[in-house]
Amino acid sequence: MGIQTKTEEYILSLLQNRSDKIELIEKYAEEHHVPIMEPSGMKLLLQFLEIQKPKKILEVGTAIGYSAIRMGIAAKDATIFTLERDTERITVAKANIKEFNMENRIHIIEGDALELSKEVAEHGPYDVLFIDAAKGQYERFFTLFEPLVSIGGLIISDNVLFKGMVAGEIEISSKNTKSMVNKLRSFNEQRMADQRFTTMIYPVGDGVMVSLKNGKEELGGV
């Protein structure tokens, strides 16, 4: 998330090494410019899964299958449904999933996530929704798939601080980037104010938002 601070470097130094097969996927992602979750953000995601112990996970944004595989390893009893429209990345993701023998647990639903609500609903409800796709569409993804998350379930959104730009730590030069950052700010504000959820943004990795679905329309302030 921008230039790493000494605190961030220290935390990263404490993370355990990943397996050789996981590191190969990370290397591929770096070489082919495929965005994947940052190590500290991934560790936070996996810890929440270990606490939650989900049986069914919905992921918006498969890419090359990295996050789905990491979630599958951490949540051993979970079945994962993951959405992706990029055919080249789907091909790579399927190969990676096969390499980990997870074809029976990780299921790719191909197509534009915003057009897959009916098919996704057929496999619900879900214990966890993980959003890690087009940043400018986060609010639409949340609105579309949140109803499929069970009460007591988690909605986890990555990149909500986007390299420090959302909080104003880094100046934005591109008009398109500024538009996307403004949408992320709006998403963050709406999610933090939504009384149906208990939400917190963790300044880890590229910013990870965790929303606990409590199902109540009104809650007192805390």
Side-chain angles (χ1 to χ4, degrees), residues 146 151 193-197 213-220:
E146 171 273 313
I151 300 299
D194 192 334
Q195 296 297 297
R196 298 173 300 153
F197 303 88
K213 186 172 182 177
N214 54 52
K216 297 179 181 179
E217 293 299 328
E218 294 294 338
L219 289 175

Side-chain angles (χ1 to χ4, degrees), residues 17-34:
N17 292 332
R18 279 79 68 198
S19 70
D20 291 343
K21 290 198 294 185
I22 289 294
E23 289 187 350
L24 280 175
I25 300 178
E26 294 173 346
K27 183 177 180 181
Y28 178 95
E30 182 178 2
E31 291 176 349
H32 292 80
H33 307 289
V34 178

Side-chain angles (χ1 to χ4, degrees), residues 52 61 94 112 126:
Q52 187 77 357
K94 287 181 177 178
D112 188 326
Y126 301 91

